[in-house]
Amino acid sequence: MSTAARSAGPVALTTLFTTGLVVLAAAFQATAGALPFVERVAGLALAGSAAYLLDDAAVQMTAVVPQGLWRRRAPGVGAGVVLLAVAWLGVALVLQWRDARPPLAESSGELLVMVLVAVAAAAVSFRLGEPEPGAFVAPLLVVLGLGVTIGESVVGFPIFLTGAEPTPARFAGWGAAGVVAVMIIVFAGRDGAGEPERVMRAAAGRV
Amino acid sequence: MSTALAQAVPVDERATLLALARADARRYARHPLFVVPCAILVVALVVGVAQQEGGGTNPLIGTMTIAFLLGVFGFVVAHRLTTSLLRTRELAGTVPVGQQERTLALCLACLVPAAVGLVLAGVIVIENTLWPPDGVPSDLPVTWFGDYPASDVIATLLAAGPVAALGGPLLGVAVARWAPFRGSALLGVVALVVATAMTGSDEPGGAERMVSAWPILVDEHTVDDNVVSTTFVTGIEPLWALGWVLCLCGLAVVAALLRDPGHRRQLLVAGGALTVAAAVCFLLARP
């Protein structure tokens, strides 16, 4: 199995499963009232699945190849991003069919930030030595997101951009979260390698 | 030689199982996704006592928090603990017990969140005794003693709280045993939550809610977005609903244990009996 296929495998599975669930929920009139909630869960699931994109079970082997970290990850991340975008489009189309589609810009922005947060958390976990951070980060993001969803309804303080009239403060908050996530990804995803090149140079020197 | 030694030292299977269960219970109790939700529940408890409000117009609202923070989070915890045995197969393989015993020990460890849920259910009772809930105005009913039979209140309190805190983790063990692939924890959580939301979304609540593994037995009635009263869902008997969710918990254990070849006959008999019991509870819950 190629690295890209192994990294993007759980994303493909999640996109299929999530889109299927949304279609199922939309197909039954009795559950139409739950569609905004199902859309929220679908967004969380898709975002959470992005954490699997950094998994590398064979990191001890792959860390010594000459390619940099992100060069190795690029095929899997690229495939995953395409899958997530297509799945999100599918979910939006299904929700539009039932007149339950949330504002596209806001909900897509939410999804983007949540994907960045998932990847940032996975990058930190990977940096700390967990070769497959997705197994923990992905479900964690979903349950935390659900917790926030329940919390905002109990406290009466909206946090997500969709579901309540968005305010500049909330836009700023989500934007800041996205920027911080990108900074963490860049910092935690540094080629701690330089390693491969160093290893190769040292090997060449010995020969 | 080794055969002779093995025969000479009888293995106390029960003691081994209990030792394993205690070890798994400690692992469960130390897991961050159990510790943090417990901390949140304690904070909510302290705030509730400080505000001296009890459950207000919905005295059973606390069960939702228990079910989510201990049940849904518990699914992830139990799934992680179960798959961790597979990730460390070399180490786990050195323990002289079978995979089925290890699975049973994990199922027993799921009593940890159930016990916490039971304590919290007790706290809900104490809070609402100290500060009795009431409708707005007070002639409107609330789902508590006095307005409804005690059996209905207690059954709902247990089914929606402690039993949910047990069922989520047990389902996590079963899913991890049968589907230990990457992504199964994520898909399991999503399926669990969406299935509950879909069956609980009918307005007003009807007997269809019994299809859910966490039947929503209470309906809130609002005026201007404020809950003024709560009633039990018409068409569902809470006592039989409690039986239904307990049977589902038992079936989750049987399903998890059936992953391995041992005791197949006894497990199939137990599974059959539980299925019949679940079907009876399901039918009787919808009079």
Side-chain angles (χ1 to χ4, degrees):
Chain A
M1 186 188 286
S2 73
T3 310
R6 182 168 161 72
S7 298
V11 179
L13 202 62
T14 308
T15 53
L16 277 174
F17 186 79
T18 307
T19 314
L21 269 184
V22 174
V23 169
L24 194 68
F28 293 101
Q29 186 63 38
T31 59
L35 278 180
F37 180 72
V38 173
E39 180 267 329
R40 173 70 50 81
V41 178
L44 288 167
L46 292 176
S49 70
Y52 290 108
L53 294 173
L54 304 194
D55 284 6
D56 185 1
V59 65
Q60 287 172 332
M61 303 281 284
T62 55
V64 294
V65 300
Q67 291 174 326
L69 186 62
W70 285 104
R71 176 68 191 83
R72 293 198 306 273
R73 285 172 173 171
V77 171
V81 168
V82 171
L83 283 169
L84 289 174
V86 170
W88 181 240
L89 191 66
V91 168
L93 286 173
V94 172
L95 293 174
Q96 187 161 24
W97 163 52
R98 292 306 301 268
D99 295 325
R101 183 171 63 76
L104 202 56
E106 283 91 335
S107 56
S108 300
E110 270 179 8
L111 180 68
L112 178 64
V113 173
M114 290 192 296
V115 165
L116 290 172
V117 168
V119 174
V124 169
S125 181
F126 188 86
R127 187 86 185 175
L128 293 175
E130 171 58 59
E132 294 184 293
F136 182 67
V137 174
L140 180 66
L141 187 103
V142 174
V143 290
L144 288 181
L146 288 170
V148 171
T149 302
I150 293 173
E152 69 176 5
S153 67
V154 170
V155 181
F157 182 81
I159 293 169
F160 282 92
L161 294 175
T162 53
E165 194 62 35
T167 61
R170 261 186 295 143
F171 272 119
W174 279 81
V179 170
V180 170
V182 169
M183 287 166 66
I184 291 173
I185 292 168
V186 171
F187 184 74
R190 277 175 308 146
D191 223 337
E195 290 297 334
E197 284 173 29
R198 204 148 44 78
V199 169
M200 295 301 282
R201 271 202 303 273
R206 277 199 295 273
V207 172
Chain B
M1 173 93 175
S2 60
T3 310
L5 274 175
Q7 283 171 349
V9 184
V11 177
D12 186 347
E13 288 184 2
R14 191 185 169 85
T16 308
L17 177 66
L18 287 177
L20 273 176
R22 272 196 295 273
D24 283 335
R26 277 195 293 274
R27 289 169 68 213
Y28 197 111
R30 283 200 298 257
H31 198 284
L33 285 184
F34 177 69
V35 174
V36 173
C38 281
I40 294 170
L41 285 165
V42 169
V43 169
L45 183 74
V46 171
V47 169
V49 171
Q51 290 180 335
Q52 301 188 354
E53 282 182 351
T57 50
N58 188 355
L60 293 173
I61 187 75
T63 56
M64 188 179 76
T65 323
I66 295 171
F68 178 69
L69 289 176
L70 297 180
V72 178
F73 275 67
F75 177 96
V76 181
V77 175
H79 190 286
R80 288 284 296 172
L81 293 182
T82 309
T83 50
S84 74
L85 291 182
L86 302 174
R87 286 195 300 275
T88 56
R89 205 186 294 269
E90 296 83 6
L91 279 174
T94 60
V95 181
V97 289
Q99 183 65 51
Q100 199 167 52
E101 285 71 29
R102 301 226 55 149
T103 305
L104 186 56
L106 280 164
C107 291
L108 288 172
C110 295
L111 290 171
V112 170
V116 174
L118 199 60
V119 169
L120 290 167
V123 171
I124 289 175
V125 172
I126 293 170
E127 270 193 334
N128 284 286
T129 305
L130 292 173
W131 303 289
D134 213 351
V136 180
S138 58
D139 57 329
L140 289 177
V142 289
T143 48
W144 200 243
F145 304 105
D147 288 350
Y148 285 95
S151 60
D152 286 1
V153 176
I154 292 169
T156 306
L157 188 63
L158 292 177
V163 179
L166 174 67
L170 286 177
L171 189 62
V173 174
V175 169
R177 289 297 291 122
W178 281 96
F181 58 85
R182 288 161 71 228
S184 74
L186 174 67
L187 300 185
V189 166
V190 170
L192 177 67
V193 171
V194 170
T196 305
M198 282 170 67
T199 50
S201 63
D202 56 328
E203 283 291 343
E208 297 76 24
R209 290 190 183 181
M210 272 299 292
V211 178
S212 173
W214 188 69
I216 299 170
L217 302 176
V218 173
D219 269 336
E220 290 183 333
H221 306 280
T222 57
V223 173
D224 297 331
D225 286 338
N226 294 316
V227 179
V228 296
S229 166
T230 45
T231 54
F232 283 113
V233 172
T234 51
I236 296 182
E237 287 289 338
L239 212 51
W240 290 111
L242 173 63
W244 160 249
V245 290
L246 281 171
C247 288
L248 293 184
C249 288
L251 282 170
V253 174
V254 171
L257 294 176
L258 273 173
R259 182 69 179 83
D260 299 297
H263 307 96
R264 176 111 335 161
R265 190 185 174 88
Q266 295 97 312
L267 286 172
L268 286 175
V269 169
L274 281 167
T275 305
V276 171
V280 169
C281 289
F282 184 85
L283 292 173
L284 289 175
R286 310 166 67 193

